[in-house]
Amino acid sequence: MSDYSNLDSDRSLDGSDTMDTESRTFPDTERRRLLAAMGSAGAVVLAGCLDDENDTDEDGDGEEISHVVAFLKQDERIEVDAPEDEALLYPALDAGVDIPYSCEAGRCGECTAKYDGDANEVVSHDGNEYLDDDQIEDGWVLTCVAYPSDDSELEVVHPDDM
Ligand code: FES
């Protein structure tokens, strides 16, 4: 049975080669076959992430459900593919949205955004300790603990700045 535990580069930080003799005898054909299989799996995952129809789980296969959330800040508009099981802050940051944050736990209120309507229509909060129910109904979203439930457009702004 083959040992695939040494597929990653085994170079140390100083650039020296730390592979042992047994790793050097790893058959190239098996290594290429495994890397090709891993590449195919990565392509399938990537295709799923890029699929515009990914906002539904029509076949109930448990694949990730996501929504398109547009973040507005000053003259910039960035659309983000936001998975339902991830707080909005993180795909926004990954996409380059300049959104302030600090505690990442729903307490400090740094990461707010504003929806033009009742925020309960487009997100569900889990762990919010900053916004009250009226603020959420007025459209305020605490992005570090807000999970998207529909497509939406959010302005990156804080209640104190309004
Ligand atoms: S980062 Fe503190 S409440 Fe979101």
Side-chain angles (χ1 to χ4, degrees):
M1 184 175 208
S2 298
D3 176 11
Y4 299 115
S5 62
N6 276 326
L7 283 178
D8 292 333
S9 171
D10 287 322
R11 291 204 177 270
S12 64
L13 291 176
D14 66 3
S16 63
D17 191 345
T18 60
M19 288 179 126
D20 59 28
T21 306
E22 188 173 298
S23 297
R24 291 180 195 278
T25 61
F26 192 88
D28 283 348
T29 52
E30 287 187 39
R31 183 185 198 110
R32 278 196 299 273
R33 195 175 313 133
L34 177 62
L35 291 173
M38 291 169 63
S40 298
V44 169
V45 170
L46 180 60
C49 293
L50 297 175
D51 185 355
D52 288 340
E53 301 302 316
N54 199 34
D55 62 347
T56 61
D57 186 16
E58 293 170 3
D59 57 3
D61 61 2
E63 284 191 30
E64 183 176 89
I65 301 171
S66 61
H67 302 282
V68 177
V69 179
F71 286 88
L72 312 173
K73 186 168 185 180
Q74 293 158 346
D75 294 335
E76 194 172 43
R77 182 180 199 277
I78 299 177
E79 286 192 0
V80 174
D81 187 29
E84 279 195 344
D85 63 353
E86 185 176 17
L88 280 171
L89 176 64
Y90 303 106
L93 292 172
D94 288 346
V97 178
D98 180 19
I99 183 166
Y101 66 97
S102 180
C103 72
E104 301 179 64
R107 290 191 297 267
C108 73
E110 289 290 315
C111 65
T112 55
K114 181 81 165 58
Y115 174 67
D116 187 18
D118 182 345
N120 292 306
E121 296 171 357
V122 293
V123 299
S124 60
H125 286 95
D126 183 13
N128 165 39
E129 296 179 28
Y130 183 79
L131 299 172
D132 62 36
D133 290 345
D134 288 342
Q135 287 176 304
I136 294 171
E137 288 173 10
D138 286 343
W140 289 103
V141 172
L142 201 58
T143 62
C144 74
V145 291
Y147 298 81
S149 56
D150 205 346
D151 295 353
S152 64
E153 194 172 83
L154 303 176
E155 181 180 1
V156 178
V157 64
H158 193 274
D160 293 346
D161 298 331
M162 298 292 282

